[in-house]
Amino acid sequence: MSEYENIAQRYIDSWNEKDADKRLALIDELYTPGVIFTDPLVSLVGTEAVAEMVAGAQEQFAGLEFGLGAVDGHHDIARFTWTLNAPGAQEPIVIGFDVITISGGKIERVHGFLDKVPG
């Protein structure tokens, strides 16, 4: 597994972690303290804000799981697709595409895009 695949998988793992303390620990390990996260729904700064956003998404999409798609990267940049699915479902409810920048092995910026959203 490449560094980019490893970081992208840990990113997905943090979105799927249900335990708030474990999730915050994963987020603190994965992101720089001043991470900037921007997607069509939110623009925020810092690991605590990321943890709150992820907790909100888990409440909104209870019972669904994030999955990792194709990962590509070079230098300090990676891009990957992700899905949000009901377990066992064949068609994802949400499909996204994120571009991250990495500093010192941690995510310092996330540029998120939503390719497919419900209704």
Side-chain angles (χ1 to χ4, degrees):
M1 180 178 293
S2 74
E3 173 192 11
Y4 308 111
E5 291 167 325
N6 184 338
I7 288 175
Q9 184 60 61
R10 290 172 47 220
Y11 175 91
I12 295 300
D13 292 345
S14 72
W15 282 86
N16 284 327
E17 179 56 59
K18 304 296 187 237
D19 181 277
D21 292 333
K22 289 180 183 177
R23 184 173 55 247
L24 182 57
L26 286 171
I27 288 169
D28 284 340
E29 291 172 7
L30 182 59
Y31 296 90
T32 62
V35 62
I36 299 170
F37 190 108
T38 308
D39 71 16
L41 305 174
V42 68
S43 181
L44 53 86
V45 176
T47 54
E48 297 241 351
V50 170
E52 290 173 17
M53 173 191 56
V54 172
Q58 286 187 357
E59 285 179 29
Q60 183 178 3
F61 300 109
L64 303 181
E65 295 179 355
F66 287 87
L68 181 61
V71 179
D72 186 25
H74 62 82
H75 297 86
D76 62 350
I77 301 169
R79 64 181 179 167
F80 53 90
T81 57
W82 54 266
T83 58
L84 182 62
N85 261 353
Q90 292 188 355
E91 188 66 30
I93 296 168
V94 179
I95 300 173
F97 179 91
D98 289 355
V99 177
I100 61 172
T101 56
I102 303 163
S103 177
K106 293 188 171 196
I107 298 172
E108 70 176 352
R109 184 153 197 144
V110 178
H111 302 275
F113 298 86
L114 298 173
D115 296 324
K116 176 186 175 189
V117 294

